[in-house]
Amino acid sequence: MSVRAKRAVWLVVLGVLAASEIRPHTRQLSGGPAQVTPSDEVTLRVIVVDSAEEARRIVARLDGGEDFIALAQAESIDPTAAAGGLLGRVTVSTLPTVLKDALVGVAPGQLSPVVQIPTGFAILKVVEDTDPANRNMNAAIPTTLATQASVKYVIDVSGLVEAEAVLQAFPKPANWNQNPSAMCRARRESLASSQRSLEDFLSPGKQSVRALRPAFDAMQAHFALAQLHAYHGRMDRAVDQYQQAFETARAGVPAAALRLEEALGVAYLHKSGMENGVHRAPGDICLLPLRPGQSYARTGDSERAVEHFLSFLKQTPDDLEVRWLLNLAYMTIGRYPDKVPPAYLIPPAAFQSTEEVGRFRDVAPQAGLDVVATAGGVIVDDFAGSGRFDVVTSNVDSCSPLHYFRNNGDGTFTERTSAAGLDGQLGGLNMIQTDYNNDGCKDILLLRGGWQVPQRNSLLRNNCDGTFADVTAASGLAEPATSSQTAAWADINNDGLLDLFVGNEDRASQLFLNKGGATFEDISRSAGVDRVAFTKAVAAADYDNDGFVDFYVSNFNGPGRRSLGEGGNNFLYRNNRDNTFTEMARASGVPGPGYGFATWFFDYDNDGWPDLLATSYVTSVDESVRRYLDRAPNATRLKLYKNLGDGSFRDVTTEVGLDKVFMPMGANFGDIDNDGFLDIYLGTGNPSYASLLPNVLLRNKEGNSFVDVTASSGTGELHKGHGIAFADLDNDGDEEIVAEIGGATPGDSHPLRLFENPGHGNDWINLRLVGVRTNRAAIGARIKLTVESEGRRTRSIYRVVGSGGSFGASPLEQHIGLGKSARILELEIRWPASNTSQRVTGLGKNQSVEITELRRSYTVIERRLVKLGGARRPE
């Protein structure tokens, strides 16, 4: 192992617990005692950066003698940056706990440990009041820092941070990130090398070396090794190392012991799940709330988890994260709610739905969709030209391939990955489908590098013969490699060719102009969309109904390094109709919630104007649990913006009942009850094994409000939710929910879920649109259905052709619910490239039809009713 790689490993070891706020030591920048008790009033400066690794680099530069004020001005993303990070004179006892704890033992001239806050990673410095640089600048601590720092982030028990850090530092060959196999090798070799280094340091032969170092270093090494074992799912070995880290902390680093006790509880609970098979054959045991009588067969590890959580809560009884995990642990051993100590009980009523929507049943194993994978995307669409919907899933694991399941037409699927030439497509967090070359066959864009190191994406051309070809390099999309998980296909100039917008995490967004169906040209700069942000989602729609598509870009950490704390940081790019765009987010009233993730346009109230959902992503179990206990959140909520039809939007989040904190990753929309109003399904979680939060199903009540029907629907999968798709897979006229479940590490893999819709008795129609002058896939075509339904006056229902949400892809065919006893009066389609309006009358309900641009007639698509899992249903 090279010197450089060894140094990187030890940087991880020495910094791994920083984000969990359990580093107890301080760094001395000038003379004076190493540990003092600060007075209740101190003068502070702060530097805030957007990653733990960046914070560690800042600390190293400060230790090397660089000036704090200069670094704050140059590097901090906090609003205090221009003032050299000066917070002024503050009262320590009034600060949020996370900041107050960080200042324990910090004397003037010293730095605090790195501490995670909602805007990033903060380094505080206590400064002398007599320093001339601090005079006349004793402003109160900014409200944004004090308020947002009240958010308690989930403890990280997963090993993902360590795995990514060692991969970044590990020596790699040139252009390694252009080759999926090379990416896999680098991942495996970096993990193995790091593990060997840690085991060597902790071996009996190195006892004399460890004796010369602080107990803190041994504790960190045990923790880091535990994390690497947890990453792989080797929970026996992980628990042993967490235990040794805990014992080392109790003996020599008591400030760290409490969080290590929680880590042990989390590790035992995860181990219990693995030993009871819930990561291979979950059934209903992973659905919240658990039904009476359900529990794990082997409860020993869950009981150990309960012991650690109870011990933790005796010291910190108000910790909602551990309280939540304690209740889950009691559920797994069949002792909830009766045996949960009353002070810590989350009552069963907190989990119940106020409305019944019928129980969705997971039929994935019976249907042959028996893939077990880490986090990834999902596409449901017809890739074989059979008229049936196939299923494709991706896998963020750098060494795992795509999975392509061909629909057999009898309610079952057969994996055809190798036959389709896709088994060499390793890794990839998300993907979307299209027909970029207008040949009538749907292609796949696989996106890599999200939350990771830069890697190239893959454009997979459908050869129309059951196979795919990787044409990334030939198309001009391979270089440079980026970190991305999001993109949108749209025809920006109505020339009938689909262009591509790619949102990146490590560099400017990219807009690729389709040059004729074979190659693309990057026009990001000339188009005015080359802003740098940590982008997590891109959505496309013609929000101002001018006939040209626009883009909305959702950013997690804001546009650049200095623009956080301003109340939102997303972009709305209005199409200027000349291959350029103007950024309009603030002017149009859609700045976003901050910490953005999933986003999409949809007409939630059926008024003919595309509305906008922009979720926030706050990795806090505490904040999500507050929703169940009716406690006010500290974190930012998601945003629903209603399109006012004049180029502006209004925030209606509160009035529709969505002013809540979720932790959504995968997300999409569909119509679960065929009432014509679009519902929402959120896949929740984050990489930590402590992030056990149910996915959330939100029912749209006639465009007026959304109600949580997770419990009554049986869709509250506790493990990590990623790609989400809505599709009618049994041809009975209602949409199933396909949910890619699995965490970001191999040790948190999970089976796919296929939640079969129980049906609601409403009518429907399915529309397959075929472009002629418009792109063949008809992406961007606008649909207006005028219908009469029982108990309703004549109304219109609106849709736009696309794959739905920003993490997971539904079919490009549009499934539209009509309500009860419906009659279709007229269908109107607005084709963007030809700028024509096509009207169809006399259209029957409860059928699938194909409509081609500029043709007067339509074709009925014959689809046989099937039973998911096999055996034909009666007609």
Side-chain angles (χ1 to χ4, degrees), residues 576-650:
N576 298 326
R577 312 184 196 184
D578 60 359
N579 287 359
T580 70
F581 294 79
T582 300
E583 204 288 301
M584 299 291 292
R586 291 192 178 280
S588 297
V590 289
Y595 316 105
F597 206 137
T599 193
W600 60 69
F601 288 97
F602 70 152
D603 190 352
Y604 82 93
D605 56 357
N606 280 322
D607 67 353
W609 293 90
D611 309 301
L612 181 60
L613 184 84
T615 72
S616 62
Y617 185 60
V618 179
T619 55
S620 170
V621 171
D622 177 287
E623 291 295 319
S624 293
V625 172
R626 289 171 181 271
R627 187 173 77 250
Y628 294 94
L629 299 176
D630 292 323
R631 294 192 186 183
N634 299 306
T636 182
R637 291 80 152 174
L638 61 76
K639 293 291 184 182
L640 179 63
Y641 297 111
K642 176 179 171 59
N643 193 326
L644 300 180
D646 60 0
S648 68
F649 295 77
R650 180 169 63 88

Side-chain angles (χ1 to χ4, degrees), residues 197-214:
S197 291
L198 289 165
E199 289 174 340
D200 178 65
F201 176 73
L202 293 170
S203 66
K206 292 297 176 67
Q207 175 62 42
S208 59
V209 174
R210 294 196 301 277
L212 299 175
R213 302 176 70 98

Side-chain angles (χ1 to χ4, degrees), residues 87-100:
L87 297 173
R89 190 78 172 165
V90 301
T91 303
V92 175
S93 61
T94 65
L95 293 177
T97 301
V98 66
L99 297 179
K100 184 164 53 180

Side-chain angles (χ1 to χ4, degrees), residues 96-120:
T97 301
V98 66
L99 297 179
K100 184 164 53 180
D101 290 351
L103 291 170
V104 172
V106 181
Q110 292 181 336
L111 298 181
S112 74
V114 175
V115 57
Q116 188 176 7
I117 62 175
T119 51

Side-chain angles (χ1 to χ4, degrees), residues 383-384 390-392 402-406 414-425 444 460-470:
F383 290 99
D390 310 308
V391 176
V392 184
L402 293 180
H403 292 277
Y404 171 43
F405 294 93
R406 179 76 62 82
T414 299
E415 182 161 3
R416 300 279 295 170
T417 307
S418 294
L422 293 173
D423 49 1
Q425 294 298 328
I444 296 172
L460 306 173
R461 186 191 65 211
N462 191 331
N463 296 323
C464 302
D465 62 0
T467 67
F468 293 79
D470 189 331

Side-chain angles (χ1 to χ4, degrees), residues 268-287 290 294-298 302 332 362 371-373 692 717-720 741-742 747-753:
Y268 271 114
L269 186 58
H270 191 77
K271 180 173 182 283
S272 184
M274 295 188 75
E275 292 193 346
N276 282 277
V278 301
H279 292 266
R280 289 294 180 268
D284 286 350
I285 200 68
C286 296
L287 303 179
L290 268 67
Q294 288 185 330
S295 64
Y296 288 175
R298 303 169 64 182
S302 287
T332 67
D362 178 22
V371 59
V372 177
L692 292 171
E717 167 63 57
L718 275 168
H719 293 94
K720 315 307 187 310
I741 307 297
D748 206 13
S749 299
H750 198 280
L752 180 88
R753 292 284 200 175

Side-chain angles (χ1 to χ4, degrees), residues 48 109 165 242 261 408 484 502 518 521 560 570 577 706 761 838-839 846:
V48 181
Y242 286 127
E261 179 126 60
N408 298 321
S484 178
V502 178
E521 176 189 356
N570 294 349
R577 312 184 196 184
F706 289 83
Q838 186 171 350
R839 288 178 168 81
N846 299 335

Side-chain angles (χ1 to χ4, degrees), residues 8 68 463 739 764 824:
F68 192 100
N463 296 323
W764 56 277
I824 300 173

